[in-house]
């Protein structure tokens, strides 16, 4: 099985930078996804990492270290609209390719 | 526009009733999934289907049933055997490519009257 751990809640100030961590344990790693979910809405895809290193997409970046079972999502120049839940999901190798989701991190951005 | 369409957005169930949540897709995805989301919890997999006329139980299938008679449709029935059905239900579609994300519908919020 898989075990995925994220902080439950984080707060940050508008314009600042925030890092949301995700640690995982899996029998065979085959990719990690980050999604953003506003309350009562569908999760939307942010980033995908399968190799070690940093993937940058505008204000959002995602980092992966497979040896440490660790990823983070970095949000720069925070805006009020970034207040949402951020979900980390890990795919394991073999079988169905269905990712397992963490509990999500609720980010509150205040002025 | 292409996407995953769930209906209704809000649904109420009386005790002892079965209810069916609709999920339709026009993305030509082979795979479709149903998740349940409770406050403070991640998405938990109820059922999934990777091909028409075939589906598999997920982690919390008890009290639920599905069908996949058409590629475009994957309805979920919440039966009276599901004792705690109040939750936010999300349907998703995807491909077998491991690097491709799932696409989610807008969800159905089910409540007990």
């Amino acid at each position: 099985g898989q075990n995925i751990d994220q902080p439950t809640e984080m707060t940050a100030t508008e314009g600042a930078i925030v890092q949301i961590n995700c640690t995982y344990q899996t029998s065979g790693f085959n990719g990690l996804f980050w999604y953003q979910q506003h309350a009562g809405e569908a999760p939307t895809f942010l980033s995908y990492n399968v190799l070690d290193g940093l993937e940058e997409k505008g204000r959002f970046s995602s980092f992966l270290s497979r040896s440490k079972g660790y990823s983070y999502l970095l949000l720069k120049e925070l805006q009020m609209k970034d207040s949402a839940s951020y979900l980390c999901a890990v795919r394991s190798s073999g079988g169905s390719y269905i990712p397992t989701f963490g509990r999500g991190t609720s980010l509150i951005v205040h002025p | 526009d292409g996407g995953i369409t769930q209906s209704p957005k809000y649904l109420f169930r009386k005790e002892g009733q079965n209810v069916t949540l609709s999920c339709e897709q026009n993305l030509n995805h082979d795979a479709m999934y149903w998740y349940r989301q409770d406050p403070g919890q991640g998405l938990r997999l109820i059922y999934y289907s990777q091909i028409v006329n075939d589906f598999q139980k997920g982690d919390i299938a008890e009290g639920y049933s599905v069908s996949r008679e058409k590629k475009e449709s994957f309805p979920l029935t919440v039966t009276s055997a599901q004792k705690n059905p109040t939750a936010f239900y999300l349907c998703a579609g995807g491909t077998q490519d491991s690097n491709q994300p799932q696409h989610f519908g807008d969800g159905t919020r089910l409540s007990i009257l």
Side-chain angles (χ1 to χ4, degrees), chain A residues 35 37 42 48 91 96 98 102, chain B residues 37 42 50 98-100 102 105:
Chain A
Y35 289 85
Q37 184 182 25
Y48 170 73
R91 262 188 177 139
S96 62
I98 300 172
Chain B
Q37 189 174 34
Q50 294 179 302
S98 61
N99 64 343
Q100 294 301 310
Q102 294 167 301

Side-chain angles (χ1 to χ4, degrees), chain A residues 19-89:
Chain A
Q19 177 175 312
I20 302 173
N21 296 326
C22 172
T23 58
Y24 63 88
Q25 296 172 328
T26 182
S27 55
F29 177 81
N30 195 27
L32 185 146
F33 297 84
W34 283 97
Y35 289 85
Q36 181 192 60
Q37 184 182 25
H38 287 96
E41 297 183 10
T44 54
F45 170 70
L46 290 177
S47 68
Y48 170 73
N49 296 73
V50 68
L51 300 176
D52 292 350
L54 188 68
E55 296 281 341
E56 298 189 74
K57 272 189 183 182
R59 294 191 298 115
F60 294 2
S61 304
S62 57
F63 172 83
L64 175 68
S65 168
R66 289 172 295 171
S67 62
K68 295 182 179 178
Y70 168 67
S71 174
Y72 67 72
L73 181 68
L74 193 71
L75 291 74
K76 303 175 188 174
E77 302 169 15
L78 279 172
Q79 302 175 10
M80 299 297 290
K81 68 178 182 180
D82 297 329
S83 293
S85 185
Y86 292 85
L87 308 175
C88 172

Side-chain angles (χ1 to χ4, degrees), chain B residues 9-59:
Chain B
K9 190 160 180 68
Y10 299 95
L11 189 58
F12 299 91
R13 194 193 90 170
K14 293 183 180 179
E15 297 278 354
Q17 269 188 343
N18 294 352
V19 290
T20 298
L21 284 61
S22 170
C23 179
E24 303 282 327
Q25 59 113 350
N26 60 6
L27 298 171
N28 202 35
H29 284 323
D30 288 317
M32 297 186 76
Y33 314 84
W34 273 106
Y35 292 93
R36 170 180 172 140
Q37 189 174 34
D38 294 281
Q41 303 263 355
L43 276 62
R44 292 186 290 168
L45 184 66
I46 304 172
Y47 267 99
Y48 65 97
S49 168
Q50 294 179 302
I51 195 169
V52 175
N53 291 323
D54 187 54
F55 48 83
Q56 307 294 329
K57 292 182 178 180
D59 300 319

